[in-house]
Amino acid sequence: MEQQLMQNEETTLRVDIYSMLAHLLRKAPDENILDWLSSLDVATPQPHISGMAATWPLVKLAAEKTTLISVQEEYQDLFIGIGRGEIVPFGSWYLTGSLMEMPLAHLRRDLAQLGFQREENVKEPEDHIAALLEVMAMLVEGGDDHLQKTFFNRHIATWFERFCADLKSADSAVFYTAIGELALQFLTVEKTRFV
């Protein structure tokens, strides 16, 4: 019973983190999200603590130090820009150097097999990092470990580390440096889970 409760809590936490990262990579946070991140109950980072435990205080501090206007401008510069942002958050870009390539075709096939359909109001291709994280949140919630592992390894594991490194080191990144580190730490844990 206790083990089942712990598994349920872990599943809920994983769904929440996937969903939060997807939301932050889909659009700039609003005032409510910044307030929530600023009020996270996290321990002060200790030198011997690493990984995700060390990342949460950085996210909290980044949320405390930014303003709504500055984080919106940061998101614009990072992901939209004039013509193109500093970061191109699409799997095909990281895997082939171009958009709309074979990795996207493979993803569309897998999404169709899973029963996912593209919403008509969505303009960007399905291999946007936020869309992939949204799918993972749903798969984790669904509880099928094999589907989670297959989808993650095919469509996220092959490029998330380079994406996170680019996000952390982008010239415009301030708040998103912490988000890039959180994504890197969390997805690395997930990658280990799915080996």
Side-chain angles (χ1 to χ4, degrees):
M1 183 72 164
E2 188 175 320
Q3 185 178 3
Q4 182 65 38
L5 185 60
M6 286 176 58
Q7 286 178 333
N8 290 344
E9 288 176 2
E10 180 185 27
T11 297
T12 300
L13 183 61
R14 289 175 64 215
V15 169
D16 288 348
I17 295 172
Y18 270 119
S19 298
M20 180 191 72
L21 288 172
H23 184 83
L24 292 170
L25 294 168
R26 169 91 53 211
K27 61 183 181 180
D30 60 22
E31 198 71 54
N32 290 334
I33 292 173
L34 287 178
D35 288 346
W36 180 76
L37 290 172
S38 296
S39 67
L40 287 174
D41 184 18
V42 294
T44 305
Q46 304 296 321
H48 65 281
I49 296 175
S50 62
M52 282 193 63
T55 306
W56 288 110
L58 299 176
V59 171
K60 178 178 179 164
L61 182 63
E64 289 171 348
K65 297 293 183 188
T66 195
T67 65
L68 188 59
I69 291 172
S70 64
V71 80
Q72 288 171 343
E73 289 174 356
E74 181 180 342
Y75 185 90
Q76 173 75 23
D77 292 342
L78 285 170
F79 298 109
I80 300 167
I82 298 172
R84 191 187 108 194
E86 282 185 68
I87 306 293
V88 182
F90 297 95
S92 288
W93 180 264
Y94 276 90
L95 297 172
T96 69
S98 300
L99 296 175
M100 311 294 276
E101 293 291 336
M102 283 308 292
L104 179 58
H106 295 306
L107 171 63
R108 286 177 172 163
R109 179 202 62 218
D110 287 353
L111 289 172
Q113 289 175 348
L114 290 168
F116 292 107
Q117 292 182 354
R118 181 184 171 116
E119 292 183 16
E120 291 192 24
N121 64 335
V122 175
K123 302 291 185 243
E124 66 263 348
E126 295 89 334
D127 62 342
H128 189 290
I129 186 66
L132 298 173
L133 298 177
E134 289 163 354
V135 170
M136 279 302 299
M138 289 183 267
L139 293 176
V140 171
E141 199 164 34
D144 186 321
D145 291 340
H146 177 71
L147 286 180
Q148 294 172 44
K149 178 179 180 176
T150 301
F151 188 87
F152 185 92
N153 286 333
R154 282 186 188 164
H155 304 296
I156 298 174
T158 52
W159 65 280
F160 80 83
E161 290 163 318
R162 286 177 288 149
F163 166 78
C164 293
D166 287 350
L167 183 56
K168 288 170 35 178
S169 65
D171 291 340
S172 299
V174 180
F175 171 80
Y176 276 92
T177 298
I179 301 308
E181 181 63 22
L182 178 62
L184 177 62
Q185 294 300 328
F186 174 66
L187 295 175
T188 299
V189 169
E190 290 291 280
K191 184 177 182 178
T192 303
R193 174 191 307 275
F194 296 135
V195 168

